[in-house]
């Protein structure tokens, strides 16, 4: 439940700014929720901004949900903004569940022996944004698109799932 806000400058990460690489590794449980990056100019990463690579690996359970960017009149449910590669890795019986969109400037790498999922499922706080008039339902629906500027690569015996209205747009190869 962090907020980074500026009326006259760009905002990078509602909760965490990493100028270079950011690694979230080896935890039992990771919950990242309710963070906001708000700016009149540009906002990057409702929860996490990575100036290079962002890595989520070897955590028993990761849930990222209810984070958003807002700049000017533009609203997007987005949790992670990585200028480099976004890597998500699970071992057997581990899960990563991301309910907000993500942005990867170089590539998205998925290594799953467990489960990695992108989901567009809504929660009460998402719908309260619509009820309060802060966003339109169209903006909320459109903000479920995760963007990868480079290739999306998946390997391993686990599952990479895109579900419940989430969209993955990859500019490079899907491997």
């Amino acid at each position: 439940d962090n907020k980074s806000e500026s009326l006259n400058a760009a905002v990078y990460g509602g909760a965490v700014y990493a100028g270079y690489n950011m690694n979230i590794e080896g935890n039992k449980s990771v919950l990242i929720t309710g963070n906001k990056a708000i700016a009149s100019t540009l906002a990057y990463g409702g929860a996490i901004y990575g100036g290079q690579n962002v890595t989520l690996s070897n955590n028993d359970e990761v849930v990222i949900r209810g984070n958003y960017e807002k700049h000017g009149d533009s609203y997007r449910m987005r949790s992670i903004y990585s200028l480099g590669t976004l890597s998500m890795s699970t071992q057997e019986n581990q899960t990563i569940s991301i309910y907000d969109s993500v942005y990867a400037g170089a590539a998205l790498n998925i290594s799953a022996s467990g489960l990695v999922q992108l989901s567009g499922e809504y929660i009460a706080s998402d719908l309260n944004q619509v009820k309060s008039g802060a966003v339109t339902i169209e903006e909320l629906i459109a903000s479920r698109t995760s963007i990868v500027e480079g290739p999306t690569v998946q390997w391993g015996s686990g599952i990479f799932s895109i579900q419940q209205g989430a969209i993955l747009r990859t500019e490079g190869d899907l491997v």
Side-chain angles (χ1 to χ4, degrees):
D1 289 323
N2 297 293
K3 176 169 75 169
S4 182
E5 186 172 12
S6 175
L7 297 176
N8 54 13
V11 172
Y12 300 90
V16 178
Y17 170 88
Y20 295 102
N21 296 322
M22 178 175 179
N23 300 315
I24 299 174
E25 302 178 82
N27 299 285
K28 285 282 184 199
S29 179
V30 176
L31 174 64
I32 301 172
T33 184
N35 301 287
K36 313 162 208 34
I38 302 170
S40 59
T41 57
L42 297 171
Y44 301 100
I48 298 168
Y49 172 85
Q52 289 186 8
N53 303 318
V54 175
T55 301
L56 304 169
S57 69
N58 200 27
N59 300 289
D60 288 352
E61 180 181 27
V62 175
V63 176
I64 301 176
R65 172 176 239 165
N67 304 284
Y68 69 86
E69 304 169 342
K70 184 170 191 212
H71 51 266
D73 292 333
S74 176
Y75 173 93
R76 174 176 294 279
M77 296 296 296
R78 179 175 284 150
S79 54
I80 300 172
Y81 192 100
S82 174
L83 282 179
T85 298
L86 173 58
S87 298
M88 295 186 275
S89 173
T90 59
Q91 301 298 321
E92 193 171 324
N93 298 318
Q94 293 180 336
T95 63
I96 296 174
S97 301
I98 300 180
Y99 295 87
D100 313 319
S101 68
V102 297
Y103 174 87
L108 174 63
N109 289 337
I110 307 293
S111 172
S113 293
L115 170 67
V116 175
Q117 69 176 355
L118 299 177
S119 177
E121 177 187 348
Y122 298 112
I123 58 174
S125 63
D126 300 338
L127 299 175
N128 285 339
Q129 293 285 333
V130 175
K131 280 178 152 179
S132 71
V135 299
T136 65
I137 192 69
E138 292 80 10
E139 286 176 306
L140 189 62
I141 292 167
S143 73
R144 295 305 185 182
T145 302
S146 291
I147 299 169
V148 181
E149 295 291 340
T152 296
V153 180
Q154 192 247 327
W155 62 94
S157 59
I159 298 170
F160 175 44
S161 173
I162 302 169
Q163 59 187 15
Q164 295 179 317
I167 300 166
L168 177 64
R169 189 184 92 206
T170 184
E171 298 294 323
D173 296 332
L174 184 59
V175 182

